[in-house]
Amino acid sequence: MANYTATNNTQNSTIRSFRAVVFAALIALLFNLTSCNPKADAISPETETIVASSLRAVASSDSSNTLKGVASFPIGAAINPQLLASNALYKSALVKNYNSISTENCAKMNRLQPKAGQFNWTDTDALVNFARQNNMKVHGHTLIWHVAVPTWVTNFQGDSLAWEKLMKTHIQTVVGHYKGSIKSWDVVNEAFEADGSLRKSIWYQHLGADYIARCFQYAHEADPQALLFYNDNNSVYQTKKSDAVYAMLKNLKQRNIPINGVGLQMHITVNTSESILTNVIRQYASTGLLIHISELDIRMNYSLSTTFVLTDAVKNAHASKYKAIAKIYKGVVAKAQQFGITNWNLGDSDSWLLTESKSEDHPLLFDENYNRKLSFYGFMQGLTE
Ligand code: XIL
């Protein structure tokens, strides 16, 4: 009896410690699925396989095997027309997964009007024609920005009336040319500084603070059907800036300025706080405007380290962050305000971040050969759930 009890106790404690191990393993797995902490790096190859297959399970059947197939709102990609014309893999990743194209660079002012009064439509026309043939929409980016200003504008001499005419002519020529084919535009891009003050851009200097409102009016006159957006980078640590943008949006609406939506660029990192992000999206959504996550990419190497190592833990954190963005967007933004989510290009080697910082990174959903990454499946799972 005593022996039996002793054996029984040993068995019980073995079962208890086995349960504890299983429980700890489950918690660890759950943490790695939901965590945004890139330091969760002790993950074993076995766990990586479980995480990966759990994410990939969502793509089991052909009909639910593409981003646009599983999403309940438009999924866009910023596209480079040269790559589209020359790379079949780029083209097929785009056509298969996306139903919207943003013009990454070709519709910026320096490209569309490189010389005063001389417009070069070739690249943007190519994207518009491609989109039409493939049943996609085009989002125009961007009419007025402090970057990508052509030299002739930087050197322009004239009074405020002459500057007004220059700005109005650009907006109305471009929006007019694409009337009916580019159905939405980023009208003004990045007008605010991090501290919430208006950027003292060339436009501000010559036209005053209310140039923003007039840009919307000019665009609306040229195409009353087009949906007009204010677009900015929403660094979540810059609440002064998002508060200032929010105040401007409300002011424009109160004055009946024709603005339809706001773009949150969403150039973030695996480390970006999801709760602060949720608050910013919720704040902007409370304006009732359409909400566009307009330039999504996620840095893995957020400290721009020269000794960055691509571990399974970092891959998991990246996939989890893409998943979280899709879930936050769906959870926070009312259906009628969901304009869509746009990835800022397709393959890792196409990303502007590599040329910006020259440090190693893998910020997008496809690798350099346009194979789907774990993050593709993370994003897809977020879109599906
Ligand atoms: C970037 C492009 O991706 C690069 O190819 C280009 O060299 C510079 O501009 N915010 C914006 C985008 O609104 O227009 C920028 O695009 C990225 C930051």
Side-chain angles (χ1 to χ4, degrees), residues 78 80 103-105 108 111 141-142 145 147-148 186 189-190 231-233 265 267 294-295 297 344-345 350-353 355-356:
N80 170 336
T103 53
E104 182 180 17
N105 287 308
K108 290 172 178 169
R111 301 284 183 96
H141 173 83
T142 176
W145 191 26
V147 183
D186 289 333
N189 194 36
E190 298 180 350
N231 193 55
D232 212 326
N233 59 16
Q265 292 182 4
H267 298 293
S294 56
E295 306 185 9
D297 51 31
W344 206 240
N345 225 317
D350 312 325
S351 172
W352 73 300
L353 294 173
T355 39
E356 281 287 299

Side-chain angles (χ1 to χ4, degrees), residues 1-14:
M1 188 67 177
N3 257 353
Y4 173 78
T5 310
T7 312
N8 222 13
N9 279 346
T10 314
Q11 275 175 353
N12 280 345
S13 81
T14 310

Side-chain angles (χ1 to χ4, degrees), residues 62-133:
D62 274 355
S63 60
S64 60
N65 198 19
T66 70
L67 297 178
K68 68 180 178 187
V70 299
S72 51
F73 44 77
I75 300 292
I79 292 302
N80 170 336
Q82 277 72 36
L83 267 175
L84 185 62
S86 63
N87 190 322
L89 296 174
Y90 186 85
K91 180 171 150 186
S92 116
L94 173 67
V95 171
K96 206 161 177 193
N97 286 290
Y98 295 85
N99 41 23
S100 175
I101 287 177
S102 282
T103 53
E104 182 180 17
N105 287 308
C106 61
K108 290 172 178 169
M109 193 177 193
N110 61 345
R111 301 284 183 96
L112 279 186
Q113 198 185 172
K115 301 224 168 85
Q118 289 182 20
F119 288 82
N120 180 355
W121 308 112
T122 313
D123 284 348
T124 307
D125 280 358
L127 288 188
V128 166
N129 291 335
F130 181 87
R132 190 178 297 123
Q133 284 155 14

Side-chain angles (χ1 to χ4, degrees), residues 83-311:
L83 267 175
L84 185 62
S86 63
N87 190 322
L89 296 174
Y90 186 85
K91 180 171 150 186
S92 116
L94 173 67
V95 171
K96 206 161 177 193
N97 286 290
Y98 295 85
N99 41 23
S100 175
I101 287 177
S102 282
T103 53
E104 182 180 17
N105 287 308
C106 61
K108 290 172 178 169
M109 193 177 193
N110 61 345
R111 301 284 183 96
L112 279 186
Q113 198 185 172
K115 301 224 168 85
Q118 289 182 20
F119 288 82
N120 180 355
W121 308 112
T122 313
D123 284 348
T124 307
D125 280 358
L127 288 188
V128 166
N129 291 335
F130 181 87
R132 190 178 297 123
Q133 284 155 14
N134 291 281
N135 208 15
M136 303 165 105
K137 60 184 189 132
V138 180
H139 178 72
H141 173 83
T142 176
L143 296 168
I144 293 294
W145 191 26
H146 66 288
V147 183
V149 174
T151 323
W152 70 268
V153 174
T154 314
N155 297 335
F156 185 76
Q157 302 288 327
D159 59 11
S160 59
L161 276 181
W163 273 95
E164 190 78 20
K165 188 170 170 227
L166 182 164
M167 183 178 79
K168 180 177 177 183
T169 304
H170 181 75
I171 292 173
Q172 298 204 325
T173 309
V174 173
V175 175
H177 182 84
Y178 291 112
K179 186 173 178 179
S181 55
I182 294 188
K183 297 194 170 122
S184 57
W185 281 99
D186 289 333
V187 177
V188 178
N189 194 36
E190 298 180 350
F192 285 87
E193 300 279 4
D195 66 2
S197 64
L198 270 177
R199 190 186 296 282
K200 306 300 176 289
S201 69
I202 205 166
W203 309 110
Y204 175 96
Q205 286 170 31
H206 292 284
L207 299 165
D210 214 32
Y211 80 92
I212 299 174
R214 299 200 299 280
C215 288
F216 281 90
Q217 283 165 329
Y218 295 147
H220 183 70
E221 280 169 23
D223 182 358
Q225 304 300 321
L227 296 172
L228 305 180
F229 285 73
Y230 175 75
N231 193 55
D232 212 326
N233 59 16
N234 52 291
S235 172
V236 288
Y237 302 108
Q238 300 173 348
T239 45
K240 280 190 186 146
K241 178 176 186 166
S242 49
D243 286 350
V245 169
Y246 172 68
M248 178 196 70
L249 298 173
K250 281 207 309 192
N251 175 274
L252 292 177
K253 282 198 75 178
Q254 261 159 20
R255 294 164 57 200
N256 283 324
I257 301 295
I259 179 170
N260 304 97
V262 56
L264 294 98
Q265 292 182 4
M266 208 63 64
H267 298 293
I268 59 172
T269 81
V270 286
N271 233 12
T272 301
S273 153
E274 285 161 27
S275 64
I276 305 181
L277 207 52
T278 306
N279 292 340
V280 180
I281 299 177
R282 185 172 285 131
Q283 180 188 36
Y284 285 9
S286 75
T287 61
L289 292 167
L290 295 169
I291 304 292
H292 184 198
I293 292 190
S294 56
E295 306 185 9
L296 176 60
D297 51 31
I298 304 180
R299 265 194 199 277
M300 290 184 172
N301 181 9
Y302 52 89
S303 59
L304 310 184
S305 163
T306 50
T307 55
F308 173 80
V309 182
L310 182 58
T311 61

Side-chain angles (χ1 to χ4, degrees), residues 307-372:
T307 55
F308 173 80
V309 182
L310 182 58
T311 61
D312 288 340
V314 178
K315 288 185 196 166
N316 285 336
H318 198 246
S320 298
K321 192 62 86 181
Y322 266 105
K323 178 176 169 180
I325 296 296
K327 290 188 76 168
I328 292 169
Y329 185 74
K330 287 169 67 177
V332 169
V333 180
K335 252 194 166 338
Q337 287 173 267
Q338 292 174 357
F339 184 75
I341 300 183
T342 297
N343 297 135
W344 206 240
N345 225 317
L346 298 176
D348 278 336
S349 49
D350 312 325
S351 172
W352 73 300
L353 294 173
L354 305 191
T355 39
E356 281 287 299
S357 66
K358 309 238 185 308
S359 51
E360 178 178 343
D361 221 313
H362 309 269
L364 294 169
L365 299 182
F366 298 88
D367 69 17
E368 61 282 5
N369 298 313
Y370 303 99
N371 296 312
R372 299 169 168 198

